[in-house]
Amino acid sequence: MLIFEHSRDERTNKAQLPRGEVALDDLPEAQRRSSALGLPQASEMDVVRHYTRLSQQNFSIDTHFYPLGSCTMKYNPRGANEAAMLPGLLNRHPETPARFSQGIFSVLHELQEMLADICGMHAVSLAPAAGAQGEYAGVAMIRAYHKAHGNHERDEIIVPDSAHGTNPATASMGGFRTVEIRTKPDGDIDLESLEEALSERTAGLMITNPSTLGLFERGIKEIADKVHAAGGLLYYDGANLNAILGKVRPGEMGFDVMHFNLHKTFSTPHGGGGPGAGPVGVSERLLPFAPVPLVARDADGGYFLEYERERPQSIGRMTAFPANIGVLLRAYAYIRMAGREGMERIAEHAVLNSNYLLEKLRPHYQVAFPGRRAMHEFILTLEDLAKSDAHVSAMDVAKRMLDFGVHAPTAYFPLSVPECFLVEPTESEAKEILDHFAGVLAAIREEVDVDPDKIKNAPYTLPVKRLDDVRAAKELDLAWDGERKAAV
């Protein structure tokens, strides 16, 4: 039910009206409304109950286990929010002069150094305002590096078939042609396919390690050596960094550039299109091309922002203002709370939870890579159910899970695994939650044999049934025109 449908003539909430008289004399007549706004007439209780009810119909990390593979939907400590909401930080204007910004600059400078240390990179720029923007900045730096060295023929970026979908898209936006290489049946990159793809046109290779298959790429050093020998650079997609915190550093694996998904690894708000932050880490040879500003320190210990004047080879600014500081502060607080020891425990618990859940589900579902130990996420393939007489697909099972109050894993990604379920429990879930999740999936598996139609018609308990995914995403209808419309 929409708030407009709660509307009743003459029902108002006068206690919430603006205090005092509103002067309209300065507004030109032509800019004044000639008709009513058309807002719903509702009491305070109507409004509070309506929006509270809506919020309770959502699945969220605050209310449900959110096992979305490659997305790391983990708990965000409220202490990090409180730190970012301190009045002195919250009320700071982004154009405050440097001499009045030494405190915040010192925090950002420390965050740059902490992220660089965590990932073994030479330096970090906090400038990109989202993971996708950080990814684009990384590719732009690769382009700038080759241009600066006269490598104008290098116009290809290699990506494995297990890459995130954003990787080929970002390479294309950066002006490169994407060359796809194969992964082997065991999930590692096919080195023969890589060697066939490498050439004098290779600008770089973009990969995630652990990969979207939930596996650590065992040949990473050999891969790095081959790409570097061919004159290319290595790009690290930081999406799965959660699995290796404190254990393995991308810089030590041979990566030249990377982006951080602070919302995945460092527990800042996730989803909804922002606000976000996607810092980039660089090797020493790519530092001149890093996006500005960088927070620097002078000989007297003071902090200042470096722009194009100090860094003429930089790819430039990513946004109008220096960075999305509110998000960076949350990541800073999270890292400080966890500490160096905590970084390792995050990875250990994420991998432990993943493998525990994998073993709980192995008797009930087909594991995509049964001979490999999972990292922080693992893949089930429901192809056997889809091809059985029951014809139950991964999407059917995902929809049925909602009836149990359980959010479904990522379905149908990565594309290389048929009827794919990508499950990521993260480190912040307790054993009881994992046991319940496994129990739900086991119960649904039994339903497949007994009453498959029950699964194929799910969900039954939600306000809407199955939507037309394409129409729901592409034909948004968000404006009230006075008529109730059936859900698509």
Side-chain angles (χ1 to χ4, degrees):
M1 193 170 189
L2 304 177
I3 188 64
F4 290 92
E5 294 169 281
H6 289 285
S7 180
R8 299 291 183 271
D9 290 343
E10 306 301 327
R11 183 175 296 176
T12 60
N13 175 24
K14 293 183 178 177
Q16 300 293 340
L17 290 175
R19 305 290 182 191
E21 295 294 326
V22 179
L24 299 176
D25 294 344
D26 293 340
L27 276 180
E29 184 67 27
Q31 294 182 6
R32 299 182 190 180
R33 292 190 63 87
S34 58
S35 60
L37 275 173
L39 296 175
Q41 302 296 300
S43 70
E44 179 174 344
M45 185 176 288
D46 290 334
V47 174
V48 169
R49 287 180 175 172
H50 173 71
Y51 285 106
T52 301
R53 190 161 43 244
L54 285 182
S55 71
Q56 292 172 340
Q57 291 175 352
N58 283 333
F59 284 71
S60 77
I61 194 63
D62 285 344
T63 56
H64 296 80
F65 174 36
Y66 235 77
L68 291 183
S70 292
C71 280
T72 314
M73 299 290 286
K74 64 185 183 183
Y75 175 68
N76 296 334
R78 284 346 187 216
N81 286 340
E82 290 182 13
M85 298 289 282
L86 291 172
L89 302 172
L90 195 63
N91 298 325
R92 178 185 175 275
H93 193 280
E95 292 187 336
T96 304
R99 64 181 183 279
F100 300 126
S101 303
Q102 291 301 295
I104 186 66
F105 284 2
S106 70
V107 170
L108 297 178
H109 187 267
E110 191 174 348
L111 179 59
Q112 286 179 177
E113 297 201 328
M114 288 194 299
L115 291 175
D117 180 46
I118 288 170
C119 288
M121 305 304 289
H122 182 71
V124 165
S125 166
L126 305 174
Q133 199 179 51
E135 193 170 314
Y136 179 78
V139 170
M141 282 187 273
I142 292 176
R143 183 180 60 200
Y145 171 85
H146 287 304
K147 182 179 179 181
H149 289 79
N151 302 329
H152 302 294
E153 74 285 359
R154 295 192 180 275
D155 60 354
E156 294 180 348
I157 293 283
I158 300 171
V159 296
D161 56 12
S162 60
H164 280 105
T166 56
N167 293 168
T170 304
S172 178
M173 286 187 66
F176 293 102
R177 190 175 78 87
T178 300
V179 179
E180 185 176 285
I181 57 174
R182 300 184 299 273
T183 49
K184 299 184 295 185
D186 65 5
D188 284 335
I189 287 177
D190 186 327
L191 294 180
E192 290 186 6
S193 180
L194 173 62
E195 289 173 350
E196 292 171 2
L198 289 169
S199 73
E200 60 186 15
R201 296 180 63 181
T202 300
L205 167 70
M206 299 179 76
I207 62 173
T208 308
N209 195 19
S211 70
T212 56
L213 303 178
L215 305 172
F216 189 83
E217 174 55 61
R218 293 173 292 191
I220 186 60
K221 288 298 291 180
E222 190 173 358
I223 290 168
D225 291 342
K226 289 181 182 296
V227 172
H228 286 151
L233 301 175
L234 255 71
Y235 183 93
Y236 184 84
D237 183 323
N240 293 340
L241 186 62
N242 204 51
I244 61 170
L245 279 181
K247 299 293 182 181
V248 184
R249 304 195 300 175
E252 293 169 349
M253 288 189 261
F255 287 92
D256 300 286
V257 56
M258 66 172 290
H259 80 271
F260 296 82
N261 294 102
L262 296 186
H263 53 283
K264 294 183 179 182
T265 312
F266 299 104
S267 200
T268 64
H270 193 149
V280 287
V282 294
S283 61
E284 187 170 7
R285 61 177 166 177
L286 281 182
L287 178 57
F289 309 100
V292 293
L294 276 79
V295 185
R297 201 170 189 183
D298 60 28
D300 297 328
Y303 297 93
F304 65 101
L305 298 179
E306 290 184 331
Y307 285 97
E308 288 91 339
R309 186 176 62 181
E310 294 84 7
R311 297 186 169 276
Q313 290 185 289
S314 166
I315 61 171
R317 288 190 182 211
M318 307 302 294
T319 59
F321 293 110
N324 203 341
I325 291 178
V327 178
L328 298 175
L329 289 172
R330 286 169 170 82
Y332 175 83
Y334 178 74
I335 294 171
R336 296 286 290 180
M337 284 191 287
R340 186 175 292 274
E341 181 185 348
M343 290 293 113
E344 292 190 33
R345 290 174 59 199
I346 289 167
E348 290 167 356
H349 287 197
V351 174
L352 176 62
N353 279 4
S354 179
N355 283 278
Y356 176 77
L357 195 51
L358 171 62
E359 294 308 316
K360 296 280 288 188
L361 292 172
R362 192 187 294 271
H364 308 288
Y365 292 91
Q366 187 176 345
V367 178
F369 300 97
R372 299 286 299 273
R373 186 169 64 177
M375 292 301 290
H376 65 307
E377 59 189 5
F378 61 90
I379 296 180
L380 304 175
T381 171
L382 280 60
E383 185 179 24
D384 57 332
L385 302 185
K387 290 185 174 179
S388 70
D389 293 339
H391 296 299
V392 170
S393 68
M395 186 56 68
D396 294 331
V397 174
K399 295 297 185 184
R400 181 60 177 145
M401 293 177 72
L402 301 176
D403 287 328
F404 290 86
V406 173
H407 196 284
T410 297
Y412 299 111
F413 180 81
L415 301 176
S416 56
V417 178
E419 298 296 329
C420 176
F421 256 20
L422 180 55
V423 186
E424 180 184 5
T426 79
E427 78 282 0
S428 58
E429 298 296 341
K431 177 177 177 296
E432 295 79 12
I433 299 296
L434 304 184
D435 289 340
H436 176 66
F437 179 81
V440 167
L441 270 173
I444 293 174
R445 181 63 188 85
E446 291 182 7
E447 287 183 342
V448 172
D449 297 328
V450 177
D451 188 2
D453 286 341
K454 186 175 185 179
I455 299 173
K456 287 188 278 190
N457 292 316
Y460 301 96
T461 61
L462 299 187
V464 295
K465 302 303 179 183
R466 294 206 188 189
L467 301 177
D468 181 323
D469 291 343
V470 176
R471 289 187 63 195
K474 302 298 182 185
E475 296 182 18
L476 296 178
D477 182 9
L478 303 177
W480 169 251
D481 63 1
E483 292 187 12
R484 179 75 173 176
K485 297 177 181 177
V488 294

